[in-house]
Amino acid sequence: MNGTRKPGSGDVLAALRRQIISEQYFHNEKLPPERELADQFGVARGTVREALKRLEALDFVKRRPGSGTYVSYSNDKASRPMAETMRPLELIEARTAIEPQIVRLAVLHADERDLMRIEESVRKMEANAEDTHQFGDLDEEFHLLLAEASHNSLLIWMVRHANEVRSHPSWLKMRHLTHNSTIVVEYNKQHRRIFEAIAARDPDTAARIMREHLNLARQSLIDAAT
């Protein structure tokens, strides 16, 4: 997968996600066993297990104890035109409309498990700041965890669909243009401050930093386009 370094769980996650989105694996289809995937990608089974765990958090797969791992992602052809025609700024504007409210609700409803998962996500992003491809996957996971901490099923659904748009091949190219080392460092600072505000039960600060975070993302898109 990468001739310069040993593949990690982020590489396995990205490869499997591309395979699922491109329908190499279909909805409800069983993935190969961990042992086969480990051989396929040249990694340890623990690396595959971590990738599958993160794919499950992103709602791409569902692990069934005693049976295996199945694709839960449905590549709804009716939704493809939206992913293919939506302008990047439109998505940022939509996220700006809902994500500050998501973190306000997370302040109210997040339990200890939610906080632990969000903090672990922040640590992973900080540890992978140099790997912009893996950082992008972790960033999607972070924003989904915030939605899950809101305990609002409709908002969770909306963020999952926003992540599907962000996973479209044309958007992955845009990610490459906007996720440089300088912007990733700043994003990580904002991610940690958002987590700290939620943990401190401070809704105004959490919402304000989220707006700043999305405004920075918006500006990076504008800069990349000019």
Side-chain angles (χ1 to χ4, degrees):
M1 293 172 58
N2 189 318
T4 61
R5 63 176 176 83
K6 185 178 179 61
S9 62
D11 299 298
V12 177
L13 179 151
L16 285 173
R17 189 170 68 166
R18 284 194 297 270
Q19 291 173 359
I20 292 169
I21 291 173
S22 64
E23 296 186 329
Q24 293 182 47
Y25 297 108
F26 292 96
H27 181 63
N28 284 331
E29 182 176 350
K30 185 178 180 179
L31 293 182
E34 290 180 1
R35 181 182 64 259
E36 285 187 30
L37 291 173
D39 290 341
Q40 175 185 337
F41 295 116
V43 299
R45 288 181 65 177
T47 301
V48 170
R49 196 170 299 119
E50 174 64 19
L52 293 175
K53 179 181 177 182
R54 288 168 54 189
L55 274 173
E56 186 172 33
L58 292 168
D59 204 32
F60 272 75
V61 302
K62 183 69 175 177
R63 292 182 290 178
R64 303 175 189 172
S67 179
T69 302
Y70 294 79
V71 175
S72 56
Y73 173 82
S74 178
N75 197 347
D76 183 0
K77 293 178 174 58
S79 67
R80 287 181 185 174
M82 180 174 291
E84 293 168 356
T85 61
M86 182 184 294
R87 293 181 297 109
L89 286 178
E90 287 183 285
L91 181 59
I92 289 293
E93 289 166 356
R95 292 177 61 197
T96 301
I98 66 170
E99 292 200 41
Q101 181 61 19
I102 283 175
V103 295
R104 284 184 175 276
L105 290 173
V107 167
L108 291 175
H109 301 301
D111 55 28
E112 287 303 313
R113 180 173 178 272
D114 292 321
L115 294 176
M116 288 176 60
R117 293 173 70 200
I118 294 168
E119 184 175 24
E120 178 61 20
S121 178
V122 171
R123 288 174 180 165
K124 287 179 181 177
M125 286 187 289
E126 291 169 343
N128 288 277
E130 298 301 318
D131 186 341
T132 55
H133 185 85
Q134 185 165 354
F135 173 83
D137 294 330
L138 291 167
D139 178 65
E140 290 181 20
E141 181 179 299
F142 171 76
H143 286 272
L144 180 57
L145 287 172
L146 294 179
E148 291 177 350
S150 76
H151 293 254
N152 183 297
S153 58
L154 181 56
L155 291 174
I156 295 168
W157 179 86
M158 293 170 73
V159 172
R160 282 177 176 161
H161 278 267
N163 281 350
E164 287 180 17
V165 174
R166 294 172 72 189
S167 298
H168 191 272
S170 62
W171 286 77
L172 294 178
K173 293 179 183 178
M174 182 61 69
R175 175 195 291 180
H176 177 72
L177 293 174
T178 59
H179 282 183
N180 58 58
S181 57
T182 301
I183 202 76
V184 167
V185 168
E186 189 58 35
Y187 281 165
N188 274 335
K189 290 178 182 178
Q190 293 173 330
H191 288 148
R192 180 158 287 281
R193 290 170 63 205
I194 289 168
F195 161 71
E196 290 173 348
I198 293 172
R201 306 298 179 181
D202 184 346
D204 292 338
T205 298
R208 175 175 57 79
I209 299 170
M210 178 58 79
R211 285 192 295 271
E212 292 173 0
H213 177 58
L214 293 170
N215 284 339
L216 180 60
R218 183 179 188 276
Q219 188 59 50
S220 70
L221 285 172
I222 293 173
D223 293 343
T226 58

